[in-house]
Amino acid sequence: MAGFLKVATMALLVAVPAWMAAPASACDPLDAGIASVTGATRTDSAGRAVALININGQGPFRFIIDTGANRSVLSQALATRLGLSHSGAGVVHSIDGAQPAMMVNVEALSFGALRLSGGETPVLDGPMLGGEHGLLGVDGMAGRMLHVDFTKNCVEIYENAGQVSTKGWSSVPARMRFGSLLMVPGDIMGVKVNVLIDTGSEISLANGHFREALLNVGARSIEYRNGHAFTFGRPIVLAQRVWTPRLYLGRTVISSVNAYIGDFHIFELWGLQDEPTLLIGMDVLERSREMAIDYENGVVHFREQPRGDYRGGSRQSESGPAIESGENIRGNE
């Protein structure tokens, strides 16, 4: 039976996979009084956080943390290694379109001792996996809190998000779509935009309405030639991008955002093709110190980097500070 799945991720010019980061130190817990499951992450060749996941009690295996995918995905190599037989067919939606996918039955996908999901799971391959074993989607996050520390290279999951304190963090309310996919309200120079949070994408993307709305308020449109992005389907040509000086997400401020423009399938799937919409990937998110997502109450929390401590500045053509608290800089505008 065909299933409706969305895997909204991409990587730009992904090459050979690698455990590229130094060994992780322990996460500073969001709330030391609440039990959580924690583990080390590594950075793949596209800059995405990779966690260690068990499948049916075997592993651990390397899964890209993907807040833009509503279902987890196994690579064909991993499904074969585990002896998982074909159980049906589904349709997977990626950035650029939909394609059929083989389904296998997974009894348990677990992070440490915490069971996240199970059941029919799509099997796919392609450059966007970068040689990793799969994608860790948000199908197991309902009611939970996901905490990713980009500086200490670790991930933490709380079973009950409602019990966790995030005092001192910058927070922005989110709308949940297709289960646990996140959309938050953003503001760029007075223009209201929809913002999607996608840790599975190396780069940031936007639709044509985003470009048109911002060109009237001073954002810069930049030609970008010979760029390609890879999904599970065909490569996507990236021909133009827009640079914006500041993006406000509530009291959180993100400076110098580059977004590649296109009528990508993902915006139509979300019903956002006629509204200014921005998908922010790891090129933006890695500039924060930490990010926590409350999947019970629909809130995204950021903890900003200290000034001068952003390690990924070389990925941006226009340099800017890390994610900051809004009250620190609004008075300078």
Side-chain angles (χ1 to χ4, degrees):
M1 181 176 66
F4 179 78
L5 312 172
K6 189 194 79 69
V7 181
T9 62
M10 71 160 52
L12 179 65
L13 299 176
V14 172
V16 179
W19 287 99
M20 297 177 66
S25 53
C27 278
D28 290 330
L30 290 177
D31 192 328
I34 305 297
S36 66
V37 179
T38 186
T41 62
R42 294 295 185 269
T43 303
D44 77 351
S45 55
R48 301 169 297 180
V50 179
L52 296 177
I53 298 296
N54 294 315
I55 302 294
N56 296 344
Q58 300 185 57
F61 303 107
R62 304 185 308 272
F63 275 61
I64 299 163
I65 300 173
D66 190 352
T67 60
N70 72 336
R71 291 292 302 271
S72 296
V73 169
L74 273 61
S75 69
Q76 180 62 64
L78 180 57
T80 300
R81 176 177 173 178
L82 296 175
L84 301 176
S85 59
H86 183 200
S87 63
V91 177
V92 171
H93 292 265
S94 67
I95 292 291
D96 198 41
Q99 71 177 84
M102 182 183 80
M103 309 290 288
V104 295
N105 186 58
V106 171
E107 294 180 7
L109 184 153
S110 304
F111 175 60
L114 182 62
R115 184 183 186 277
L116 296 176
S117 63
E120 287 201 330
T121 304
V123 174
L124 290 166
D125 270 319
M128 66 84 51
L129 279 180
E132 307 297 353
H133 294 124
L135 299 176
L136 178 62
V138 298
D139 43 331
M141 296 298 172
R144 293 168 169 162
M145 174 83 78
L146 172 68
H147 168 215
V148 184
D149 189 320
F150 298 114
T151 59
K152 292 194 172 183
N153 299 309
C154 59
V155 60
E156 183 181 34
I157 300 178
Y158 288 85
E159 179 72 21
N160 189 336
Q163 299 178 352
V164 182
S165 172
T166 52
K167 183 179 179 180
W169 290 56
S170 297
S171 305
V172 59
R175 291 169 55 192
M176 298 293 187
R177 302 286 296 274
F178 303 110
S180 296
L181 298 176
L182 296 164
M183 182 172 72
V184 300
D187 184 290
I188 300 175
M189 295 177 286
V191 176
K192 306 301 181 183
V193 299
N194 303 310
V195 180
L196 313 180
I197 309 293
D198 191 349
T199 60
S201 178
E202 179 191 1
I203 60 176
S204 297
L205 306 170
N207 60 11
H209 284 272
F210 177 89
R211 175 185 56 195
E212 293 167 9
L214 293 184
L215 289 180
N216 294 326
V217 293
R220 294 212 304 266
S221 181
I222 304 168
E223 294 296 326
Y224 181 84
R225 302 186 183 280
N226 301 320
H228 292 80
F230 297 98
T231 69
F232 289 115
R234 62 183 181 178
I236 302 169
V237 176
L238 303 173
Q240 189 177 64
R241 62 187 170 99
V242 166
W243 175 82
T244 62
R246 282 177 182 160
L247 165 66
Y248 286 89
L249 302 177
R251 292 163 63 94
T252 298
V253 185
I254 306 172
S255 298
S256 188
V257 175
N258 285 296
Y260 295 91
I261 304 300
D263 295 322
F264 301 112
H265 173 72
I266 182 58
F267 298 127
E268 181 179 359
L269 179 65
W270 282 55
L272 299 173
Q273 66 272 25
D274 297 323
E275 302 176 25
T277 302
L278 169 69
L279 180 152
I280 55 175
M282 286 303 299
D283 58 330
V284 170
L285 296 171
E286 71 175 356
R287 287 188 270 160
S288 66
R289 171 182 163 190
E290 301 168 70
M291 180 179 70
I293 301 174
D294 180 341
Y295 284 100
E296 179 175 341
N297 300 298
V299 184
V300 180
H301 308 276
F302 293 102
R303 185 177 291 179
E304 65 269 16
Q305 291 271 22
R307 286 184 178 273
D309 195 34
Y310 168 46
R311 297 174 300 166
S314 62
R315 296 167 67 88
Q316 293 281 86
S317 61
E318 285 85 6
S319 62
I323 293 178
E324 301 180 45
S325 174
E327 65 261 33
N328 292 337
I329 67 173
R330 271 192 187 275
N332 297 329
E333 293 190 322

